[in-house]
Structures are given as C-alpha cells and as structure tokens.
Amino acid sequence: MTSANETRTRTAAQITRRDARAINRPAAAPASTRLNRRRGVLNVFAGVAAFGFLAAYLVPTAAAMAEGTPGSHYDTAQADAQVYVAAADLAPSGGLAFGAGYGVSLQPQADGSPHPKASAEEWAAYAGSQGVEVPAGASREEIQAAIDAAAKKAEEEAEAEEAKKATVASTGGVALQPVLYTGGGSPAEWMAAAGIAQGDWGYVDYIVSRESGWNPNATNASSGACGLVQALPCSKVPGGGYNPVANLQWANGYAVGRYGSWASAYAFWTSNHWW
C-alpha cells in the first residue's frame, strides 16, 4: 500500500508538472490578431486575382494591336459589318461597300423599279425600258422625277379617255363641243388675274408658249388636253379649261404642288419637253 505521505508527495509533483506546462505553454493569440491574419491572406489572394484579370485583359489587347486589329470604334463596327455581310451571303454589287470584297445588293422594288438608292445608271436603264427619255448626265433624282411625271401623265391621259367615253355615253354617242373662250386680254393680264407672281412670268411664258402658243382654245386632238397649259383632262380645271385665267390658276397650283415652284417646273420642261 502507498502511504499518505507518498500520495501527497506524488500529487504535489503532478501539480508542479501541470503548473510548469501551463507556464511554458504560449498564450493564445487575441481574436483581433487572428482576424488580421485572415485579412492579410485574403488580401494576398485578391491581389493575385486582380493581377490575373489585368494580365488577361492586357495580353490579348497587346497581341491584337501587334497584329493590326482595328483599334477605333468605327473600324470595329466596319469589321462587324463585314462579318454580317459575309454571314448573310450578300453578293458584291458595287453598291454600298463594307470593305474589300463585300457589298450590299439593293433589291428592286415590288413594281420592278430599281431600289430608291440604286445608281443613276440603273435608273436610266429602267427609264429607257419604260419609254421615258431622260437627258444625258441626269441625276438619279431627276430620272426618278421624270419617271414619276411620265406615270402621272399616262394616268391623266387614261382619266381623260375615260371622261371622254363617259361624256359620249351620257349624250347618246354624240360628243359635246367644248365651250371655247371668246373674251379678250393679254398674257400679262391673264397671269396677273390668275395670281401668279410677276417673278414667275418668264417661266410661265416659256412653258405656255410651247404648250399652246398662248391660244386659250388650243386642244390636243389625241389626248384632249386643253387650254394655255394643256390641262389633262380638260374637265379637271375649275371654271373651264378654255378660260385663260382659270387655266392659269389651275396651272399655278399644279406647278407649285408638283414641282415646288415655277422655276422647277421650267427646269423639268426644258429637260423633258413636257410637264
């Protein structure tokens, strides 16, 4: 058996060793110190990640610049457009170019006429196929205006023919004789009474002299156009197509409404010899 003295001695020795270990053990680091260490580690990882992103951005950019890749927004958009045109399989047509080897094909309109932005040569060829004469060197807009005017004239002639047939039918097959002008007056008086600006009289005189020779009763035997400016159909003139003042009033609205001014109407007439 172990005596009481031995037990006390051993216990004292054990306590002494335990106390010694407690004294020799390093003190635990405060919580704030542990957090600072964690933050330091996270900062290191964040710095490495930022450096990686920066390298991933700069290296391809430097390589692209070395290879001559477009640097401006315009060049980038142009390159994208080329890719789009190539993907859409649009054949080059000499139209709107998107760089070497590519173009936009301007499709004709539903009525068979060229695209509004097609070249003047295409529009001139179309005008010829429609029997419309255009002066050499005419612009696309001038050719389009000539085609529109020709179509309008054809429509008016058709209307005049229908009106003539309707008149004959309503009178039992007997064509009515038009009411001709028997009054007097001069071109200047007629233009002034029609409200035409004096600055436009020269243009009016040029057109009327070639349309009717200033004869209020002039009539086109084939189309039925009548009066000073050869209104077609004659029945569209309020007050009578053979009345010189009424004829010029109608012509004034026609010139301004269709061509924008008498000067533009004069320019069209000199190019096409009709209006």
Side-chain angles (χ1 to χ4, degrees), residues 203-219:
Y203 302 126
V204 179
D205 179 66
Y206 182 93
I207 294 175
V208 174
S209 295
R210 286 155 180 78
E211 289 287 345
S212 65
W214 284 102
N215 177 10
N217 296 319
T219 304

Side-chain angles (χ1 to χ4, degrees), residues 230-258:
Q230 294 293 279
L232 184 70
C234 189
S235 58
K236 70 166 53 176
V237 180
Y242 292 101
N243 182 304
V245 175
N247 193 281
L248 288 175
Q249 286 175 333
W250 174 84
N252 192 44
Y254 177 80
V256 175
R258 183 166 184 80

Side-chain angles (χ1 to χ4, degrees), residues 101-129:
Y102 297 105
V104 174
S105 178
L106 301 178
Q107 298 298 322
Q109 302 182 76
D111 60 358
S113 61
H115 189 277
K117 297 299 183 181
S119 65
E121 290 74 15
E122 292 182 66
W123 274 101
Y126 176 75
S129 69

Side-chain angles (χ1 to χ4, degrees), residues 168-182:
V168 171
S170 64
T171 58
V174 179
L176 297 177
Q177 294 298 319
V179 179
L180 301 179
Y181 181 71
T182 57

Side-chain angles (χ1 to χ4, degrees), residues 75-116:
D75 291 336
T76 302
Q78 185 183 48
D80 292 343
Q82 291 179 351
V83 172
Y84 169 77
V85 172
D89 193 22
L90 298 177
S93 64
L96 300 176
F98 284 94
Y102 297 105
V104 174
S105 178
L106 301 178
Q107 298 298 322
Q109 302 182 76
D111 60 358
S113 61
H115 189 277

Side-chain angles (χ1 to χ4, degrees), residues 53-76:
F53 281 120
L54 184 62
Y57 175 77
L58 292 179
V59 172
T61 303
M65 293 178 64
E67 295 176 1
T69 301
S72 69
H73 293 297
Y74 173 80
D75 291 336
T76 302

